[in-house]
Amino acid sequence: LLWMQLRHSPYNFIVILDTNAHTQEKKLLYMSWLNKLESQFPELGLSVGTGGGSSSLISLTNGGISTWTSGMSQNPGTSHMVSGVLISERPKWMEGRSQTVLRSLLPSLPDLPTTLVVDESTAMGQEAFYYDWLKVVGGAKPQWTPIFLSWYMSREYQAPLEKEWESVDQIGRAHV
């Protein structure tokens, strides 16, 4: 979404995370990325502003606005048009909440090539995330393009091997 915001001006998006604390943590991380870009690439003419420390909005000089909220908020939405949405950890939201938010938010998205919706989560099976995934992957008329990324692809879940290991293919089936 950051790339879209820098490349397509103005590009507005909303981030809806599972809890208020997680939302604030990721908003601060996003702000740090923006500040690094601002200092390392002054030719972008990027300037970052917020409506105050607790504001849910981050605005850029190119006109882009990002809204940060949680699925636990009274009204997790936005009053301005958005072209991008990041929804995170829906199974951890209050029961019934994700469907309410999705029914409210998704129909308002423009049908444009720059519209982007990222719905990422651990598939805990709650709030229809897993079933939505199966419907899309299982051949139902796809509304979304599913992309599955395994948790072990992330460096934070990797560790170096203490000794050299051989794969099953190297050992051969006779030894297995």
Side-chain angles (χ1 to χ4, degrees):
L1 291 172
L2 172 58
W3 184 86
M4 294 294 282
Q5 199 168 46
L6 294 174
R7 300 289 299 167
H8 301 278
S9 176
Y11 192 86
N12 301 330
F13 66 87
I14 185 168
V15 176
I16 307 175
L17 302 178
D18 53 341
T19 64
N20 289 330
H22 193 208
T23 301
Q24 286 304 313
E25 173 190 336
K26 295 305 180 185
K27 179 185 165 203
L28 291 174
L29 177 63
Y30 186 75
M31 289 286 295
S32 74
W33 294 345
L34 290 172
N35 289 328
K36 284 179 187 175
L37 280 173
E38 186 177 9
S39 66
Q40 292 179 2
F41 301 98
E43 65 274 13
L44 288 175
L46 182 66
S47 182
V48 180
T50 64
S54 64
S55 174
S56 63
L57 299 178
I58 299 173
S59 58
L60 303 179
T61 51
N62 71 0
I65 298 172
S66 59
T67 303
W68 296 75
T69 188
S70 86
M72 305 301 184
S73 297
Q74 184 74 12
N75 183 20
T78 178
S79 59
H80 54 272
M81 189 193 85
V82 295
S83 295
V85 178
L86 170 61
I87 302 167
S88 181
E89 298 294 352
R90 277 197 296 136
K92 296 178 183 176
W93 295 10
M94 296 179 293
E95 187 174 339
R97 188 68 169 155
S98 72
Q99 293 306 314
T100 301
V101 171
L102 293 178
R103 278 193 304 271
S104 168
L105 184 62
L106 297 182
S108 68
L109 294 172
D111 187 13
L112 298 171
T114 55
T115 298
L116 178 65
V117 176
V118 177
D119 186 357
E120 66 83 21
S121 182
T122 50
M124 295 170 60
Q126 298 174 1
E127 286 299 323
F129 182 87
Y130 180 71
Y131 301 103
D132 290 348
W133 174 262
L134 283 179
K135 184 170 63 177
V136 172
V137 173
K141 197 171 189 177
Q143 178 183 7
W144 309 48
T145 301
I147 301 171
F148 179 76
L149 302 173
S150 299
W151 60 270
Y152 56 80
M153 292 174 64
S154 179
R155 288 193 189 275
E156 67 186 286
Y157 299 111
Q158 297 176 3
L161 296 174
E162 294 185 18
K163 61 180 183 175
E164 187 151 334
W165 291 80
E166 296 179 15
S167 73
V168 171
D169 294 331
Q170 291 171 321
I171 297 171
R173 298 266 178 218
H175 297 88
V176 177

Coordinates of all heavy atoms in Angstrom, one line a residue, residues 102-167:
L102 N -16.9 -5.8 6.5 CA -16.8 -6.1 5.1 C -18.0 -5.7 4.3 O -17.8 -5.1 3.2 CB -16.5 -7.6 4.9 CG -15.1 -8.1 5.5 CD1 -15.0 -9.6 5.2 CD2 -14.0 -7.3 4.8
R103 N -19.2 -5.9 4.8 CA -20.4 -5.5 4.1 C -20.5 -4.0 3.9 O -21.0 -3.5 3.0 CB -21.6 -6.1 4.8 CG -21.9 -7.5 4.5 CD -23.3 -7.9 4.9 NE -23.6 -7.7 6.3 CZ -23.3 -8.6 7.3 NH1 -22.8 -9.7 7.0 NH2 -23.6 -8.3 8.6
S104 N -19.9 -3.3 4.9 CA -19.9 -1.8 4.9 C -18.8 -1.3 4.0 O -19.1 -0.4 3.2 CB -19.8 -1.3 6.3 OG -19.5 0.1 6.3
L105 N -17.7 -1.8 4.0 CA -16.5 -1.2 3.4 C -16.3 -1.7 2.0 O -16.0 -0.8 1.1 CB -15.2 -1.6 4.2 CG -13.9 -1.0 3.8 CD1 -13.9 0.5 3.8 CD2 -12.8 -1.5 4.6
L106 N -16.4 -2.9 1.7 CA -16.0 -3.5 0.4 C -16.8 -2.9 -0.8 O -16.3 -2.6 -1.8 CB -15.9 -5.0 0.4 CG -14.9 -5.6 1.3 CD1 -14.9 -7.1 1.2 CD2 -13.5 -5.0 1.0
P107 N -18.2 -2.8 -0.6 CA -18.9 -2.3 -1.8 C -18.6 -0.9 -2.1 O -18.9 -0.4 -3.2 CB -20.4 -2.4 -1.3 CG -20.4 -3.4 -0.2 CD -19.0 -3.3 0.4
S108 N -18.0 -0.1 -1.2 CA -17.6 1.3 -1.5 C -16.3 1.4 -2.3 O -16.0 2.5 -2.7 CB -17.6 2.1 -0.2 OG -16.5 1.7 0.5
L109 N -15.6 0.3 -2.5 CA -14.3 0.4 -3.2 C -14.5 0.6 -4.7 O -15.4 0.0 -5.3 CB -13.5 -0.8 -3.0 CG -13.0 -1.1 -1.5 CD1 -12.4 -2.5 -1.4 CD2 -12.0 0.0 -1.1
P110 N -13.7 1.5 -5.3 CA -13.9 1.7 -6.7 C -13.4 0.5 -7.5 O -12.5 -0.2 -7.1 CB -13.0 2.9 -7.0 CG -12.0 2.9 -6.0 CD -12.7 2.3 -4.7
D111 N -14.0 0.2 -8.7 CA -13.7 -0.9 -9.6 C -12.6 -0.3 -10.5 O -12.9 0.0 -11.7 CB -14.9 -1.4 -10.3 CG -14.6 -2.7 -11.1 OD1 -13.5 -3.3 -10.9 OD2 -15.4 -3.0 -11.9
L112 N -11.4 -0.2 -10.0 CA -10.3 0.3 -10.8 C -9.1 -0.6 -10.7 O -8.9 -1.4 -9.8 CB -9.9 1.7 -10.3 CG -10.9 2.8 -10.3 CD1 -10.4 4.0 -9.5 CD2 -11.2 3.2 -11.8
P113 N -8.2 -0.5 -11.7 CA -7.0 -1.4 -11.6 C -6.1 -1.1 -10.4 O -5.3 -2.0 -10.0 CB -6.2 -1.0 -12.9 CG -7.2 -0.4 -13.8 CD -8.2 0.2 -12.9
T114 N -6.2 0.1 -9.8 CA -5.4 0.4 -8.7 C -6.0 0.1 -7.4 O -5.4 0.3 -6.3 CB -5.0 1.9 -8.7 OG1 -6.2 2.7 -8.7 CG2 -4.1 2.3 -9.9
T115 N -7.2 -0.5 -7.4 CA -7.8 -0.9 -6.1 C -7.2 -2.2 -5.6 O -6.9 -3.1 -6.4 CB -9.3 -1.2 -6.4 OG1 -9.9 0.0 -6.8 CG2 -10.0 -1.7 -5.1
L116 N -6.8 -2.2 -4.4 CA -6.1 -3.3 -3.8 C -6.7 -3.6 -2.4 O -6.9 -2.7 -1.6 CB -4.6 -2.9 -3.6 CG -3.7 -3.9 -2.9 CD1 -3.6 -5.2 -3.8 CD2 -2.3 -3.3 -2.7
V117 N -7.0 -4.9 -2.2 CA -7.5 -5.3 -0.9 C -6.6 -6.5 -0.5 O -6.5 -7.4 -1.2 CB -9.0 -5.8 -1.0 CG1 -9.4 -6.4 0.4 CG2 -9.9 -4.7 -1.4
V118 N -6.1 -6.3 0.7 CA -5.2 -7.4 1.3 C -6.0 -7.8 2.6 O -6.2 -7.0 3.5 CB -3.8 -6.9 1.7 CG1 -3.0 -8.0 2.4 CG2 -3.1 -6.4 0.4
D119 N -6.3 -9.1 2.6 CA -7.0 -9.7 3.8 C -6.1 -10.8 4.3 O -6.1 -11.9 3.7 CB -8.4 -10.2 3.3 CG -9.2 -10.7 4.5 OD1 -8.8 -10.7 5.7 OD2 -10.4 -11.1 4.2
E120 N -5.3 -10.5 5.3 CA -4.3 -11.5 5.7 C -4.7 -11.9 7.1 O -5.2 -11.2 7.9 CB -2.9 -10.9 5.6 CG -2.6 -9.8 6.5 CD -2.2 -10.1 7.9 OE1 -1.8 -11.3 8.2 OE2 -2.3 -9.3 8.8
S121 N -4.4 -13.2 7.4 CA -4.6 -13.7 8.7 C -4.1 -15.1 8.9 O -3.7 -15.8 7.9 CB -6.2 -13.8 8.9 OG -6.4 -14.3 10.2
T122 N -4.0 -15.5 10.1 CA -3.8 -16.9 10.4 C -5.2 -17.5 10.2 O -6.2 -16.9 10.6 CB -3.4 -17.1 11.9 OG1 -4.2 -16.4 12.7 CG2 -1.9 -16.7 12.0
A123 N -5.3 -18.6 9.6 CA -6.6 -19.2 9.3 C -7.1 -20.0 10.5 O -7.1 -21.2 10.5 CB -6.5 -20.1 8.1
M124 N -7.6 -19.3 11.4 CA -8.1 -19.9 12.7 C -9.5 -20.5 12.5 O -10.1 -21.1 13.4 CB -8.1 -18.9 13.8 CG -6.7 -18.4 14.2 SD -6.7 -17.0 15.3 CE -7.6 -17.7 16.7
G125 N -10.1 -20.3 11.3 CA -11.4 -20.9 11.1 C -12.6 -20.1 11.5 O -13.7 -20.4 11.2
Q126 N -12.4 -19.0 12.3 CA -13.5 -18.2 12.8 C -13.8 -17.1 11.7 O -13.0 -16.8 10.9 CB -13.1 -17.5 14.1 CG -12.8 -18.5 15.2 CD -12.3 -17.8 16.4 OE1 -12.1 -16.6 16.4 NE2 -11.9 -18.6 17.4
E127 N -15.0 -16.6 11.9 CA -15.4 -15.4 11.1 C -15.3 -15.6 9.6 O -15.0 -14.7 8.9 CB -14.6 -14.2 11.5 CG -15.1 -13.6 12.9 CD -16.5 -13.2 12.9 OE1 -17.1 -12.7 11.9 OE2 -17.2 -13.4 13.9
A128 N -15.4 -16.9 9.2 CA -15.5 -17.2 7.8 C -14.2 -17.0 7.0 O -14.2 -17.1 5.8 CB -16.6 -16.5 7.1
F129 N -13.1 -16.6 7.6 CA -11.8 -16.4 6.8 C -11.4 -17.6 6.1 O -11.2 -17.6 4.9 CB -10.7 -15.9 7.7 CG -9.4 -15.6 7.0 CD1 -9.2 -14.4 6.5 CD2 -8.5 -16.6 6.8 CE1 -8.0 -14.1 5.7 CE2 -7.3 -16.4 6.1 CZ -7.1 -15.1 5.6
Y130 N -11.4 -18.7 6.8 CA -11.0 -20.0 6.2 C -12.0 -20.4 5.1 O -11.6 -20.9 4.0 CB -10.8 -21.1 7.2 CG -10.4 -22.4 6.7 CD1 -9.1 -22.6 6.2 CD2 -11.3 -23.5 6.6 CE1 -8.7 -23.8 5.7 CE2 -10.9 -24.7 6.1 CZ -9.6 -24.9 5.7 OH -9.3 -26.1 5.2
Y131 N -13.2 -20.2 5.4 CA -14.3 -20.6 4.4 C -14.3 -19.7 3.2 O -14.5 -20.1 2.1 CB -15.6 -20.7 5.1 CG -15.6 -21.7 6.2 CD1 -15.5 -21.2 7.5 CD2 -15.6 -23.0 6.0 CE1 -15.4 -22.1 8.6 CE2 -15.5 -24.0 7.0 CZ -15.4 -23.5 8.3 OH -15.3 -24.4 9.3
D132 N -14.1 -18.4 3.4 CA -13.9 -17.5 2.2 C -12.8 -17.9 1.4 O -12.8 -17.9 0.1 CB -13.7 -16.0 2.7 CG -14.9 -15.4 3.4 OD1 -16.0 -16.0 3.2 OD2 -14.7 -14.3 4.0
W133 N -11.7 -18.3 2.0 CA -10.5 -18.7 1.3 C -10.8 -20.0 0.5 O -10.5 -20.1 -0.7 CB -9.4 -19.0 2.3 CG -8.1 -19.6 1.7 CD1 -7.8 -20.9 1.7 CD2 -7.1 -18.9 1.1 NE1 -6.6 -21.1 1.1 CE2 -6.1 -19.9 0.7 CE3 -6.8 -17.6 0.8 CZ2 -5.0 -19.6 0.0 CZ3 -5.7 -17.3 0.1 CH2 -4.7 -18.2 -0.2
L134 N -11.5 -21.0 1.1 CA -11.8 -22.2 0.4 C -12.7 -21.9 -0.8 O -12.6 -22.5 -1.9 CB -12.5 -23.2 1.3 CG -11.6 -23.9 2.3 CD1 -12.4 -24.9 3.2 CD2 -10.5 -24.7 1.6
K135 N -13.6 -21.0 -0.6 CA -14.6 -20.7 -1.7 C -13.8 -20.1 -2.9 O -14.1 -20.5 -4.0 CB -15.6 -19.7 -1.2 CG -16.7 -19.3 -2.2 CD -17.8 -18.5 -1.6 CE -17.3 -17.2 -1.1 NZ -18.4 -16.3 -0.6
V136 N -12.8 -19.2 -2.6 CA -12.1 -18.6 -3.7 C -11.2 -19.7 -4.4 O -11.1 -19.8 -5.6 CB -11.3 -17.4 -3.2 CG1 -10.3 -16.9 -4.3 CG2 -12.2 -16.3 -2.8
V137 N -10.4 -20.4 -3.5 CA -9.5 -21.4 -4.1 C -10.2 -22.6 -4.7 O -9.8 -23.1 -5.7 CB -8.6 -21.9 -2.9 CG1 -7.7 -23.0 -3.4 CG2 -7.7 -20.7 -2.4
G138 N -11.4 -22.9 -4.1 CA -12.1 -24.1 -4.6 C -12.9 -23.9 -5.9 O -13.6 -24.8 -6.3
G139 N -12.7 -22.9 -6.6 CA -13.3 -22.8 -7.9 C -14.6 -22.0 -8.0 O -15.2 -21.8 -9.0
A140 N -15.1 -21.5 -6.8 CA -16.3 -20.6 -6.9 C -15.9 -19.4 -7.7 O -14.7 -19.1 -7.8 CB -16.8 -20.2 -5.5
K141 N -16.8 -18.6 -8.2 CA -16.5 -17.5 -9.0 C -15.6 -16.5 -8.1 O -16.1 -15.9 -7.2 CB -17.8 -16.8 -9.4 CG -17.6 -15.8 -10.5 CD -19.0 -15.3 -11.0 CE -18.8 -14.5 -12.3 NZ -20.1 -14.1 -12.8
P142 N -14.4 -16.4 -8.5 CA -13.5 -15.6 -7.6 C -13.7 -14.1 -7.6 O -13.8 -13.5 -8.7 CB -12.1 -16.0 -8.1 CG -12.2 -16.4 -9.5 CD -13.7 -17.0 -9.6
Q143 N -13.9 -13.6 -6.5 CA -13.9 -12.1 -6.3 C -12.5 -11.6 -6.0 O -12.2 -10.4 -6.3 CB -14.9 -11.8 -5.2 CG -15.0 -10.3 -4.9 CD -16.0 -10.0 -3.8 OE1 -16.4 -11.0 -3.1 NE2 -16.3 -8.8 -3.5
W144 N -11.7 -12.4 -5.5 CA -10.4 -12.1 -5.0 C -9.3 -13.0 -5.7 O -9.7 -14.1 -6.0 CB -10.2 -12.2 -3.5 CG -11.3 -11.5 -2.8 CD1 -12.7 -11.5 -3.0 CD2 -11.1 -10.6 -1.7 NE1 -13.3 -10.7 -2.1 CE2 -12.4 -10.2 -1.3 CE3 -10.0 -10.1 -1.0 CZ2 -12.6 -9.3 -0.2 CZ3 -10.2 -9.3 0.1 CH2 -11.5 -8.9 0.5
T145 N -8.1 -12.6 -5.7 CA -7.0 -13.5 -6.1 C -6.3 -14.0 -4.9 O -5.6 -13.2 -4.2 CB -6.1 -12.8 -7.1 OG1 -6.8 -12.3 -8.2 CG2 -5.0 -13.7 -7.5
P146 N -6.5 -15.2 -4.5 CA -5.8 -15.7 -3.3 C -4.3 -15.9 -3.5 O -3.9 -16.4 -4.5 CB -6.5 -17.0 -3.0 CG -7.0 -17.5 -4.3 CD -7.3 -16.2 -5.1
I147 N -3.5 -15.5 -2.5 CA -2.1 -15.8 -2.5 C -1.8 -16.3 -1.1 O -2.1 -15.7 -0.1 CB -1.3 -14.5 -2.7 CG1 -1.7 -13.8 -4.1 CG2 0.2 -14.7 -2.6 CD1 -1.1 -12.5 -4.3
F148 N -1.2 -17.5 -1.1 CA -0.9 -18.2 0.2 C 0.6 -18.0 0.4 O 1.4 -18.4 -0.4 CB -1.3 -19.7 0.2 CG -1.0 -20.3 1.5 CD1 -1.8 -20.1 2.6 CD2 0.1 -21.2 1.6 CE1 -1.5 -20.8 3.8 CE2 0.5 -21.8 2.8 CZ -0.3 -21.6 3.9
L149 N 0.9 -17.4 1.6 CA 2.3 -17.3 2.0 C 2.5 -18.1 3.3 O 1.9 -17.7 4.3 CB 2.7 -15.8 2.2 CG 2.5 -15.0 0.9 CD1 2.7 -13.5 1.3 CD2 3.4 -15.4 -0.2
S150 N 3.3 -19.1 3.3 CA 3.5 -19.9 4.5 C 4.3 -19.1 5.5 O 5.1 -18.2 5.2 CB 4.4 -21.1 4.2 OG 3.7 -21.9 3.2
W151 N 4.0 -19.3 6.8 CA 4.6 -18.6 7.9 C 6.1 -18.8 7.9 O 6.8 -17.9 8.3 CB 4.0 -19.1 9.2 CG 4.2 -20.5 9.5 CD1 3.4 -21.5 9.1 CD2 5.3 -21.2 10.1 NE1 3.9 -22.8 9.5 CE2 5.1 -22.5 10.1 CE3 6.5 -20.7 10.7 CZ2 6.0 -23.5 10.6 CZ3 7.4 -21.6 11.2 CH2 7.1 -23.0 11.2
Y152 N 6.6 -19.9 7.5 CA 8.0 -20.2 7.5 C 8.9 -19.4 6.5 O 10.1 -19.4 6.5 CB 8.4 -21.7 7.4 CG 7.8 -22.4 6.2 CD1 8.5 -22.3 5.0 CD2 6.6 -23.1 6.3 CE1 8.0 -22.9 3.9 CE2 6.1 -23.7 5.1 CZ 6.8 -23.6 3.9 OH 6.3 -24.2 2.8
M153 N 8.2 -18.7 5.6 CA 8.9 -17.8 4.7 C 9.5 -16.6 5.3 O 10.4 -16.0 4.8 CB 8.0 -17.4 3.5 CG 7.6 -18.6 2.6 SD 6.3 -18.1 1.4 CE 7.2 -16.9 0.4
S154 N 8.9 -16.2 6.5 CA 9.3 -15.0 7.2 C 10.6 -15.3 8.0 O 10.7 -16.3 8.7 CB 8.2 -14.6 8.2 OG 8.6 -13.5 8.9
R155 N 11.6 -14.4 7.9 CA 12.9 -14.6 8.5 C 12.8 -14.8 10.1 O 13.5 -15.4 10.7 CB 13.8 -13.5 8.2 CG 14.3 -13.5 6.8 CD 15.5 -12.5 6.7 NE 15.9 -12.3 5.3 CZ 16.7 -13.1 4.7 NH1 17.3 -14.1 5.3 NH2 17.1 -12.9 3.4
E156 N 11.7 -14.1 10.6 CA 11.6 -14.2 12.1 C 11.3 -15.6 12.6 O 11.5 -15.9 13.8 CB 10.6 -13.2 12.6 CG 9.1 -13.5 12.2 CD 8.2 -12.5 12.5 OE1 7.8 -12.4 13.7 OE2 7.7 -11.7 11.6
Y157 N 10.9 -16.5 11.7 CA 10.6 -17.9 12.1 C 11.6 -18.8 11.5 O 11.4 -20.0 11.5 CB 9.2 -18.3 11.5 CG 8.1 -17.4 12.1 CD1 7.4 -16.5 11.3 CD2 7.8 -17.5 13.5 CE1 6.4 -15.8 11.8 CE2 6.8 -16.7 14.0 CZ 6.1 -15.8 13.2 OH 5.1 -15.1 13.7
Q158 N 12.8 -18.3 11.1 CA 13.9 -19.2 10.6 C 15.1 -19.1 11.6 O 15.3 -18.2 12.3 CB 14.3 -18.7 9.2 CG 13.2 -18.7 8.2 CD 13.7 -18.1 6.9 OE1 14.8 -17.7 6.7 NE2 12.8 -18.1 5.9
A159 N 15.8 -20.2 11.6 CA 17.0 -20.3 12.4 C 18.0 -21.2 11.7 O 17.6 -22.1 10.9 CB 16.7 -21.0 13.8
P160 N 19.3 -20.9 11.8 CA 20.3 -21.6 11.1 C 20.4 -23.1 11.7 O 20.1 -23.3 12.9 CB 21.6 -20.9 11.4 CG 21.3 -20.1 12.6 CD 19.9 -19.8 12.7
L161 N 20.7 -24.0 10.8 CA 20.9 -25.4 11.2 C 22.2 -25.5 12.0 O 23.2 -24.9 11.6 CB 20.8 -26.3 10.0 CG 19.5 -26.4 9.3 CD1 19.7 -27.2 8.0 CD2 18.4 -26.9 10.1
E162 N 22.2 -26.3 13.0 CA 23.5 -26.5 13.8 C 24.4 -27.5 13.1 O 25.6 -27.4 13.4 CB 23.1 -26.9 15.2 CG 22.4 -25.8 16.0 CD 22.2 -26.2 17.4 OE1 22.8 -27.1 17.9 OE2 21.3 -25.5 18.0
K163 N 23.9 -28.3 12.3 CA 24.7 -29.3 11.5 C 24.1 -29.4 10.2 O 23.0 -29.1 9.9 CB 24.9 -30.6 12.3 CG 23.6 -31.3 12.5 CD 23.8 -32.6 13.2 CE 22.5 -33.4 13.3 NZ 22.6 -34.7 13.9
E164 N 24.9 -30.0 9.3 CA 24.4 -30.2 7.9 C 23.4 -31.3 7.9 O 23.6 -32.4 8.5 CB 25.5 -30.5 6.9 CG 25.1 -30.5 5.5 CD 26.1 -30.1 4.6 OE1 27.1 -29.4 4.9 OE2 26.0 -30.5 3.4
W165 N 22.3 -31.0 7.2 CA 21.2 -32.0 7.1 C 21.1 -32.4 5.6 O 21.4 -31.7 4.7 CB 19.9 -31.4 7.5 CG 19.8 -31.1 9.0 CD1 20.4 -30.1 9.7 CD2 19.2 -32.0 10.0 NE1 20.1 -30.2 11.0 CE2 19.4 -31.4 11.2 CE3 18.5 -33.2 9.9 CZ2 18.9 -31.9 12.4 CZ3 18.0 -33.7 11.1 CH2 18.3 -33.1 12.3
E166 N 20.6 -33.6 5.4 CA 20.4 -34.1 4.1 C 18.9 -34.2 3.9 O 18.1 -34.6 4.8 CB 21.0 -35.5 3.9 CG 22.5 -35.5 4.0 CD 23.1 -36.9 3.8 OE1 22.4 -37.8 3.3 OE2 24.3 -37.1 4.2
S167 N 18.4 -33.9 2.7 CA 17.0 -34.0 2.4 C 16.7 -35.4 2.1 O 17.5 -36.3 1.9 CB 16.7 -33.1 1.2 OG 17.2 -33.7 0.0

